[in-house]
């Protein structure tokens, strides 16, 4: 059940802008920034749980990618590359901070939290389910939450998610199936599909 949700037009446009950026076209890179920033910021916010830190992390990523674009070279999958690089950057920062301040060896992975604002409700009949589906999503194990967020909210396919999270493709499928089974058992699976569509429309309209 591999949903190929990534818009091919956006994918092709990003690839085109990236090739122009490799040639030093700052305007093309700015267009990439505009296209990718919102999704990267929301993902960063999920991982860091702080708006200022999230924004700084994404801006730092764009600066680093622009500076090192020559060594990065051509990219087949621009959006997954940025999400992968952002996740690695944030995990490294979290690791360094904890090692320096707390002197601990085990670094837990990021723990995504869903908020009621993301579970966009337009129909009154679903309003009573907003809290229920938010709570159920937040009760999922960390990696299940991250897979659900990246696939249904950011429209990344399972191959891309495996690359971003640094796990096997089959692991992504297993995590997704386990999460969906819990939603299905609570009669909320169909609602999730409807709400993530509303969420993406909500973001594309510039509401933040």
């Amino acid at each position: 059940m591999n949903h190929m949700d990534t818009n091919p037009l956006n994918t092709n446009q990003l690839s085109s802008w990236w090739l122009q950026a490799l040639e030093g076209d700052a305007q093309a890179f700015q267009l990439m920034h505009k296209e990718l920033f919102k999704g990267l910021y929301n993902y960063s916010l999920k991982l860091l749980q702080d708006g200022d830190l999230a924004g700084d992390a994404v801006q730092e990523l764009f600066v680093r990618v622009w500076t090192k674009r020559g060594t990065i070279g051509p990219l087949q999958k621009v959006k997954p590359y940025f999400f992968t690089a952002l996740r690695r950057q944030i995990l490294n920062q979290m690791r360094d901070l904890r090692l320096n301040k707390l002197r601990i060896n085990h670094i837990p992975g990021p723990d995504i939290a869903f908020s009621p604002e993301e579970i966009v409700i337009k129909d009154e009949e679903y309003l009573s389910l907003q809290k229920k589906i938010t709570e159920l999503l937040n009760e999922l194990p960390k990696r299940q939450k991250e897979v659900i967020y990246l696939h249904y909210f950011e429209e990344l396919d399972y191959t891309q998610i495996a690359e971003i999270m640094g796990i096997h493709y089959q692991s992504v499928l297993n995590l997704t199936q386990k999460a969906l089974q819990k939603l299905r058992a609570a009669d909320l699976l169909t609602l999730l599909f409807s709400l993530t569509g509303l969420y993406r429309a909500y973001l594309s309209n510039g509401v933040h």
Side-chain angles (χ1 to χ4, degrees):
M1 103 175 213
N2 186 1
H3 299 280
M4 297 295 289
D5 290 335
T6 303
N7 187 325
L9 293 178
N10 289 349
T11 299
N12 292 337
Q13 183 62 77
L14 284 169
S15 298
S16 176
W17 284 334
W18 175 249
L19 289 175
Q20 294 173 57
L22 286 179
E23 299 296 323
D25 189 335
Q27 185 176 3
F29 194 74
Q30 288 174 359
L31 291 170
M32 287 179 56
H33 182 283
K34 183 177 180 182
E35 177 70 21
L36 291 172
F37 181 84
K38 188 174 291 184
L40 290 168
Y41 173 80
N42 288 335
Y43 185 45
S44 180
L45 184 60
K46 288 290 175 200
L47 301 180
L48 293 169
Q49 301 297 310
D50 182 288
D52 291 335
L53 290 178
D56 290 345
V58 177
Q59 295 293 17
E60 180 181 334
L61 172 68
F62 275 102
V63 170
R64 184 162 51 82
V65 170
W66 173 256
T67 303
K68 297 185 176 183
R69 66 191 185 281
T71 58
I72 296 171
L75 293 173
Q76 296 263 332
K77 302 174 182 177
V78 176
K79 181 176 178 179
Y81 175 84
F82 272 80
F83 272 79
T84 303
L86 178 64
R87 189 180 196 273
R88 186 180 300 122
Q89 172 187 305
I90 289 174
L91 290 181
N92 286 340
Q93 290 172 345
M94 291 169 67
R95 180 200 62 204
D96 292 343
L97 179 64
R98 287 168 177 161
L99 286 176
N100 290 336
K101 293 192 174 182
L102 302 178
R103 304 292 180 184
I104 61 176
N105 293 320
H106 174 66
I107 307 302
D111 189 3
I112 281 177
F114 291 90
S115 67
E117 289 74 25
E118 285 172 313
I119 310 303
V120 182
I121 302 291
K122 288 189 176 179
D123 297 324
E124 288 292 328
E125 61 182 300
Y126 290 148
L127 211 51
S128 62
L129 296 176
Q130 183 184 48
K131 183 178 179 181
K132 185 177 179 181
I133 194 170
T134 302
E135 290 176 348
L136 193 147
L137 287 171
N138 284 328
E139 288 172 0
L140 296 174
K142 293 178 182 180
R143 294 203 303 173
Q144 288 182 29
K145 281 191 285 189
E146 191 166 4
V147 168
I148 290 296
Y149 179 75
L150 290 172
H151 185 60
Y152 290 104
F153 289 79
E154 288 300 331
E155 299 184 273
L156 291 160
D157 66 43
Y158 296 139
T159 302
Q160 294 168 343
I161 294 170
E163 181 181 340
I164 290 167
M165 294 180 65
I167 60 179
H168 294 298
Y169 176 85
Q170 187 60 48
S171 297
V172 176
L173 292 182
N174 293 341
L175 289 166
T176 304
Q177 288 292 349
K178 289 176 182 178
L180 296 185
Q181 283 171 7
K182 293 177 183 178
L183 289 164
R184 188 180 292 112
D187 293 325
L188 292 174
L189 185 57
T190 302
L191 182 60
L192 172 70
F193 298 152
S194 300
L195 296 182
T196 51
L198 289 174
Y199 172 74
R200 292 192 290 268
Y202 171 80
L203 289 183
S204 66
N205 288 333
V207 182
H208 195 72

